[in-house]
Amino acid sequence: MPSKFDQYGVRVVKVAAGELAEAYTDPDLAAFELRFREDAVQVRRSLGACWNVRFEYAVPVRPFRWPKGGESFAGWYFCATTGGHIGYESWLERDRLILLDADPQVRGIASQPFWLHWHDGVRRRRHAPDYFVRLANGRGRVVDVRAADRVDDAAAKAFAATERACRAVDWSLTGPEFPIRC
């Protein structure tokens, strides 16, 4: 199969029609849906239909919490990589954001880029990852930030579902169980 690279450094592979059908047989592409903002409109699509969305430019899907007297510390970080402000909800998120901004492989960062929806066999669930990152090689990375001692059962299940979704679309994942890899 001949292949080439597009303007973002992403490999473009041309396949025959029969091979194309086999490429989309991963059931997780349909098991997960993403809800995000596109041109100021809320959009909800299957994970498999979001292959061309540039989530590194996404607007946050929910507001940042500024709890008075709360344990966390929310704010805005001016990111040199994007040339704009990116929100964070804790010191830990801010610190991860600083590391991402300093990483020469990172080309784009967005906070709270989408809601990931799935059914866990009992009921509908959703999770908004902390960040979406676009790397120099064109690959996406989803970043969840949580102190290991604050990962309860519900969070662990959400992170496991996020891992499945990321694997289905070949995004890497960085989170409490997934160390930073560049």
Side-chain angles (χ1 to χ4, degrees):
M1 288 186 289
S3 67
K4 64 177 187 173
F5 292 87
D6 70 6
Q7 65 190 22
Y8 301 105
V10 176
R11 189 172 59 153
V12 177
V13 180
K14 295 184 179 183
V15 295
E19 295 171 341
L20 186 61
E22 293 174 18
Y24 295 100
T25 59
D26 188 336
D28 285 337
L29 292 174
F32 292 97
E33 291 183 331
L34 300 181
R35 191 177 82 213
F36 54 96
R37 291 185 186 171
E38 190 171 73
D39 299 325
V41 175
Q42 289 270 343
V43 177
R44 188 166 177 159
R45 295 186 194 147
S46 71
L47 179 61
C50 293
W51 64 272
N52 64 343
V53 178
R54 305 297 292 183
F55 288 111
E56 66 271 27
Y57 302 118
V59 176
V61 293
R62 64 180 176 81
F64 293 97
R65 299 182 197 118
W66 309 87
K68 187 174 183 177
E71 292 180 16
S72 64
F73 181 82
W76 295 97
Y77 170 78
F78 183 80
C79 181
T81 300
T82 64
H85 288 89
I86 298 179
Y88 59 88
E89 295 179 308
S90 69
W91 287 109
L92 197 56
E93 282 185 25
R94 191 222 41 197
D95 291 351
R96 179 61 59 92
L97 193 51
I98 290 170
L99 290 173
L100 291 169
D101 195 22
D103 185 340
Q105 294 301 309
V106 173
R107 297 292 187 259
I109 307 168
S111 58
Q112 311 286 334
F114 54 78
W115 283 107
L116 177 68
H117 292 264
W118 72 96
H119 196 280
D120 69 359
V122 177
R123 67 184 182 97
R124 301 279 312 159
R125 302 280 181 177
R126 72 180 188 169
H127 171 64
D130 295 312
Y131 301 108
F132 182 87
V133 175
R134 183 68 63 190
L135 301 174
N137 64 6
R139 194 168 184 211
R141 175 181 292 160
V142 172
V143 179
D144 272 313
V145 181
R146 179 88 47 108
D149 62 339
R150 291 188 171 238
V151 177
D152 58 10
D153 189 49
K157 288 178 182 176
F159 296 150
T162 304
E163 179 184 14
R164 273 184 43 219
C166 287
R167 196 175 320 121
V169 291
D170 196 31
W171 291 338
S172 61
L173 179 68
T174 303
E177 296 88 24
F178 310 96
I180 296 175
R181 312 183 274 277
C182 296

